[in-house]
Amino acid sequence: MLKTMGEPRIKIVAMPKDTNPAGNIFGGWILSQIDSAGAIAAREIAPERVVTIAMKEVVFKEPVFIGDLVSCHAKVTEVGKTSIKTVVEVTVERLTSEHTIMCTHVTTAEVTYVSVDRAGNKKIIDEDLKRLYGF
Ligand SMILES: CC(C)(COP(=O)(O)OP(=O)(O)OC[C@H]1O[C@@H](n2cnc3c(N)ncnc32)[C@H](O)[C@@H]1OP(=O)(O)O)[C@@H](O)C(=O)NCCC(=O)NCCS
């Protein structure tokens, strides 16, 4: 899946301020990066404004540590009348004690957004933009 997703929507280094009491990176911080990356992808289809309506079960199989370079790839997979479904892949690059770079897949999330106007009311997605992006 990652190979077909192009450049990451977000690339960010996990910092000490993003840790939980045990010293690993806080899951909520990663969820926030996922939400932002999916929204950046969704905004291609609904440039005025999108809001998150649903985030499907997110399973963290690997911890993230301070200093990891976190990448969030995101792409739109379905577009409805007002909704935009995205898939977000989170990976990290970590420097090992042997000074090599290790790449780890952290999680995959499905996040759905709704196209809204500035007042927050649902807005029908433009058919031309849908077609432009192949939907
Ligand atoms: C987004 C919002 C305007 C939508 O209004 P609504 O009346 O609840 O919307 P609907 O039930 O008509 O659903 C709108 C679209 O979302 C889809 N949707 C609704 N619930 C969904 C869910 N659980 N998962 C996936 N898609 C969902 C619907 O299928 C519909 O898609 P379509 O128009 O493409 O057919 C409203 O729910 C809202 O303001 N929510 C808060 C958003 C927000 O602030 N998010 C940030 C986190 S708090």
Side-chain angles (χ1 to χ4, degrees):
M1 172 68 105
L2 209 54
K3 281 187 185 155
T4 65
M5 294 180 97
E7 289 295 307
R9 305 284 177 167
I10 289 179
K11 252 186 139 164
I12 186 167
V13 176
M15 301 294 271
K17 67 177 172 50
D18 307 318
T19 52
N20 61 27
N24 291 347
I25 297 303
F26 175 48
W29 179 82
I30 301 169
L31 290 176
S32 157
Q33 304 306 322
I34 290 171
D35 196 12
S36 297
I40 291 168
R43 277 177 56 168
E44 289 176 349
I45 311 277
E48 187 172 347
R49 191 178 162 203
V50 294
V51 287
T52 314
I53 186 127
M55 199 181 262
K56 265 208 177 161
E57 186 188 44
V58 180
V59 180
F60 295 110
K61 288 283 196 183
E62 294 288 339
V64 176
F65 301 122
I66 295 169
D68 284 355
L69 177 60
V70 179
S71 293
C72 298
H73 288 78
K75 79 170 189 182
V76 174
T77 54
E78 276 179 54
V79 182
K81 210 166 88 180
T82 65
S83 65
I84 301 157
K85 190 187 277 185
T86 66
V87 76
V88 183
E89 298 276 358
V90 183
T91 56
V92 299
E93 287 174 42
R94 180 174 304 147
L95 190 66
T96 67
S97 47
E98 292 80 34
H99 298 284
T100 57
I101 302 282
M102 183 180 89
C103 233
T104 306
H105 179 254
V106 175
T107 191
T108 301
E110 187 186 286
V111 193
T112 304
Y113 302 85
V114 174
S115 157
V116 293
D117 61 19
R118 279 166 197 220
N121 302 309
K122 282 181 286 184
K123 184 179 171 189
I124 307 282
I125 296 165
D126 183 81
E127 286 299 327
D128 289 340
L129 266 178
K130 270 196 206 178
R131 264 195 299 279
L132 183 66
Y133 286 95
F135 294 98

